[in-house]
Amino acid sequence: MSDDVVLGHPTPAAVTDRICGIVLHERVGLWWWIALAASSALLGLGVVSVGWLFWKGVGVWGIDWPVVWGFAIINYVWWIAIASGGTFISALFFLVRVDWRTSINRIAETMMLCAAASAGIYPILHLGRPWFFYWLFPYPNTMTLWPQFRSPLLWDFMALLTYVVASVLFWYFGLLPDLAAMRDRARGRGAQMFYGVLAFGFRGTGGQWRHYKAAYGIMAALMAPLVVSVHSVVGLDFAGGETTGWHSTQFPPFFVFGALLSGFATVILLVIPMRHYFSLQTYITERHFDALGKLMVVSSLCMAYAYIMDVFTTFYGPDPADKTMFVARMFGRYAFVYWSTILFNVLLPQLLWVRRLRLNQPVLILVCLGAIVGMWFERVEIVVTSLHRTTLPSAWGDYWPTFWDWALMAGTIGLFLTMFLLLIRIVPTMSIAEMRELVRKREA
Amino acid sequence: MIVAGFGSAEALRRAVASLAPEGARVETFTPDDLDEATEPTKSSAVPIIMLGAGLLGGFGFFALQAYGTMSGYPINVGGRPDFSWPPFIVNAFEFGVLCAIGAGFLGFFAINRMPKLFIAEDACDELREASRDGWFLSVRGGDPKRVRALLDSVGPIALKEWPE
């Protein structure tokens, strides 16, 4: 196996031509059109289900007492976790100067953007009266009301708003030199104007580079703690409530661990087909799969620690309601959810201890799909099984999603895939500027 | 105006160094940061702008929350004092980061006077190579003959001269 992050010795010019060429000069394969048709169909289903939701209200979902948080929260947390994993790769690994990050950074960032969009629509939709969502923001109003600043739900609004805006700006800022390269390589007048306007006149002058590098570095340094804070706040949405199974101090790091696992898994699942269909074997090598596979193992072990602590604190603690709920979680009617979580998030990723399996793409795809499904089950476990056995036995109840729950979830998957498929046809799939720098430094 | 391109960063650096005593205005156009290796001490104002905006946003939002809970709409939650400030830190941090990143983004464009979609140097078609693997410079002012002779001595791969 080669440990190189780039195979052979491509020149900076070859790197630029290859990556620009994918978008500017190469025709897309049939696979892209099929994928776009399928994802658009899912997106269409999502639009219909949002329309129906607005028309009828949240009663079209399966939520009711005592399980008042259902798919909207489950899927919001699931998507925002996937997005967060992308930010870790693009920001944290930039700060520690990991060389293999360069090839997959743009894929991770684009994934983050699409997942954040899919996450971002849920908090609005789950409000009973979504048209009043702006009441969450402290603005001067005739009711002289203020939002409750001590509530984790308001923190979540601020954290998500900051995360989505900052992600878009960070992604776009990183694109500037590449958009300039696209402008200069484009042949048609329309493409030249399109990329010319998007590049804002970036020409790589001495001043532009100096300020660009300084700003990008600090943005990355801010994005890394931001993403930890965002997912910690999501954990606090739960931990802040005095609900069985939620009221735990380990929730913020527990949620961040989950974000790592599902984010890395999604990046791998996107990198494998893109490497194949865009023939990027020169730039995405076995080294990348090796490194990402190891990260899967690390984040899976972190999850295992969190699951063990979840059991330990419950049964070591004094609350009988907590213990009753946890027994129901492990052996009740939702036991399959709990054990699927353990299987997919803890046991299956252990395969990747073996180097040969890390480099085996079918195995890697299987483990990553498992982790994404497992992380979704984990959110079902946290939301549904905690609520369905509350402290008051007379209030116990079940939850099953309706067709419209599933339809909206399919719609967000459609939104994610449609956005991603369109973006990889518009912007370079790799950071050209960083890749040029990488190959230049290697040759030096 | 003269626009000249070179095959390597070293050649461009030599050209820039040789032009230094001429008193001409020199601007470089490069596929990567030319200064990084040679002039790491040259600083940027963007970090200071980001720091200022981040602190202003963070402390500003903290003050807004303090005003809202103490004066605007005091409400007793579990017997806590109105100025129960630790929970305010989360929002203050988030808003501070938002302001810092926003200021970095906008500050970069403001300092570089962007967007600037067209510049005089665009008349030289070869300048497009500056976003690929060409190392270019443009020279305004100075004695054109001397400047041209100096550039020729370094060995440009492209050179274009036209009246300003």
Side-chain angles (χ1 to χ4, degrees):
Chain A
M1 191 200 102
S2 161
D3 267 343
D4 285 345
V5 285
V6 178
L7 292 182
H9 299 278
T11 60
V15 167
T16 313
D17 292 344
R18 176 76 191 94
I19 304 174
C20 286
I22 289 174
V23 176
L24 288 174
H25 311 309
E26 287 179 20
R27 292 176 67 86
V28 290
L30 186 64
W31 66 271
W32 188 85
W33 290 105
I34 293 172
L36 186 69
S39 60
S40 307
L42 288 178
L43 180 59
L45 181 63
V47 171
V48 171
S49 65
V50 168
W52 185 240
L53 172 76
F54 282 169
W55 182 254
K56 292 288 281 186
V58 291
V60 300
W61 292 342
I63 48 172
D64 200 350
W65 293 104
V67 186
V68 288
W69 276 11
F71 263 34
I73 308 294
I74 293 166
N75 292 336
Y76 161 67
V77 179
W78 185 56
W79 277 120
I80 199 77
I82 288 173
S84 304
T87 312
F88 272 106
I89 290 180
S90 73
L92 193 65
F93 293 147
F94 172 79
L95 294 176
V96 293
R97 300 286 189 263
V98 177
D99 57 359
W100 56 261
R101 164 203 172 269
T102 307
S103 316
I104 58 168
N105 149 47
R106 180 66 45 70
I107 299 176
E109 279 184 9
T110 309
M111 179 280 277
M112 150 186 106
L113 210 66
C114 304
S118 292
I121 61 167
Y122 269 117
I124 306 276
L125 296 181
H126 94 298
L127 299 171
R129 294 177 293 170
W131 51 94
F132 289 138
F133 79 93
Y134 61 90
W135 284 10
L136 280 163
F137 203 77
Y139 71 104
N141 60 80
T142 52
M143 303 173 289
T144 67
L145 283 174
W146 284 78
Q148 177 51 270
F149 293 116
R150 301 178 185 95
S151 166
L153 297 180
L154 186 77
W155 305 346
D156 200 24
F157 170 71
M158 288 301 299
L160 184 69
L161 180 76
T162 300
Y163 183 58
V164 170
V165 175
S167 296
V168 173
L169 294 183
F170 185 56
W171 173 79
Y172 195 85
F173 199 68
L175 265 175
L176 275 179
D178 293 359
L179 291 169
M182 297 282 283
R183 171 199 61 207
D184 296 339
R185 303 280 90 67
R187 289 181 196 142
R189 187 78 185 138
Q192 284 173 344
M193 283 172 68
F194 179 72
Y195 290 110
V197 170
L198 288 182
F200 279 105
F202 188 93
R203 281 184 172 74
T205 63
Q208 283 175 350
W209 274 122
R210 191 169 75 248
H211 299 302
Y212 174 84
K213 294 252 162 149
Y216 191 80
I218 295 177
M219 280 187 189
L222 286 170
M223 286 302 287
L226 174 68
V227 69
V228 174
S229 86
V230 169
H231 222 67
S232 298
V233 166
V234 174
L236 288 168
D237 284 345
F238 294 87
E242 210 183 337
T243 304
T244 50
W246 290 1
H247 203 53
S248 165
T249 48
Q250 79 147 345
F251 261 44
F254 174 28
F255 273 54
V256 174
F257 296 155
L260 295 176
L261 183 69
S262 53
F264 294 152
T266 311
V267 169
I268 295 174
L269 283 178
L270 294 172
V271 163
I272 289 175
M274 286 181 66
R275 175 180 189 255
H276 175 75
Y277 286 117
F278 292 138
S279 304
L280 294 171
Q281 285 83 352
T282 309
Y283 305 107
I284 301 174
T285 66
E286 291 186 328
R287 169 83 187 281
H288 294 91
F289 295 120
D290 191 43
L292 286 167
K294 283 178 186 163
L295 283 173
M296 286 291 288
V297 176
V298 171
S299 42
S300 161
L301 290 175
C302 291
M303 292 308 296
Y305 170 79
Y307 293 147
I308 291 169
M309 289 316 289
D310 213 17
V311 180
F312 174 74
T313 51
T314 303
F315 289 99
Y316 186 69
D319 190 350
D322 257 351
K323 291 172 192 163
T324 307
M325 184 282 298
F326 218 97
V327 170
R329 174 181 281 176
M330 288 195 288
F331 305 109
R333 68 171 66 224
Y334 296 113
F336 72 96
V337 172
Y338 183 77
W339 296 109
S340 300
T341 302
I342 303 293
L343 170 70
F344 289 131
N345 295 348
V346 177
L347 301 179
L348 201 56
Q350 304 311 316
L351 287 176
L352 302 181
W353 279 95
V354 184
R355 190 182 176 92
R356 206 155 37 85
L357 295 179
R358 283 201 296 276
L359 304 181
N360 183 324
Q361 292 186 16
V363 172
L364 208 51
I365 290 174
L366 186 75
V367 171
C368 292
L369 274 176
I372 289 174
V373 173
M375 286 312 299
W376 186 79
F377 273 127
E378 186 207 286
R379 276 61 192 251
V380 176
E381 172 214 312
I382 292 171
V383 171
V384 177
T385 65
S386 299
L387 288 170
H388 95 298
R389 290 288 178 270
T390 62
T391 44
L392 197 64
S394 61
W396 288 357
D398 291 340
Y399 165 84
W400 298 104
T402 63
F403 168 77
W404 294 108
D405 279 309
W406 291 111
L408 186 57
M409 183 179 170
T412 58
I413 294 172
L415 175 66
F416 174 84
L417 290 175
T418 308
M419 266 182 81
F420 191 82
L421 286 166
L422 292 175
L423 282 173
I424 58 173
R425 293 303 307 156
I426 297 172
V427 299
T429 47
M430 264 180 217
S431 174
I432 303 171
E434 287 181 21
M435 206 70 206
R436 268 197 311 250
E437 196 181 335
L438 181 80
V439 296
R440 193 171 286 124
K441 281 183 178 161
R442 271 175 91 234
E443 295 305 316
Chain B
M1 174 183 292
I2 300 177
V3 173
F6 300 90
S8 69
E10 289 67 36
L12 177 61
R13 282 199 195 99
R14 278 205 306 279
V16 172
S18 69
L19 288 171
E22 291 301 307
R25 279 196 298 137
V26 179
E27 179 65 277
T28 57
F29 300 86
T30 55
D32 193 11
D33 190 6
L34 188 69
D35 289 340
E36 200 170 47
T38 50
E39 295 176 83
T41 49
K42 216 169 181 180
S43 64
S44 163
V46 178
I48 296 291
I49 294 173
M50 293 177 79
L51 178 69
L55 289 177
L56 194 69
F59 282 105
F61 208 85
F62 188 92
L64 179 81
Q65 294 177 95
Y67 171 76
T69 48
M70 293 170 75
S71 173
Y73 197 79
I75 181 171
N76 186 336
V77 181
R80 290 178 188 84
D82 287 340
F83 185 58
S84 53
W85 58 269
F88 302 165
I89 295 173
V90 182
N91 281 334
F93 171 77
E94 302 295 344
F95 198 73
V97 169
L98 181 63
C99 290
I101 290 184
F105 190 82
L106 296 176
F108 169 81
F109 289 116
I111 287 179
N112 287 304
R113 298 176 186 279
M114 288 161 72
K116 197 187 287 173
L117 300 188
F118 296 99
I119 55 173
E121 284 88 341
D122 284 337
C124 174
D125 281 342
E126 288 82 358
L127 190 66
R128 289 181 185 183
E129 284 298 303
S131 63
R132 188 166 174 264
D133 198 21
W135 302 77
F136 282 74
L137 58 74
S138 72
V139 187
R140 286 184 168 91
D143 177 7
K145 277 187 186 150
R146 274 187 60 81
V147 167
R148 188 149 187 162
L150 284 168
L151 291 175
D152 277 333
S153 71
V154 184
I157 53 168
L159 198 143
K160 185 169 178 178
E161 184 177 359
W162 69 95
E164 283 177 54

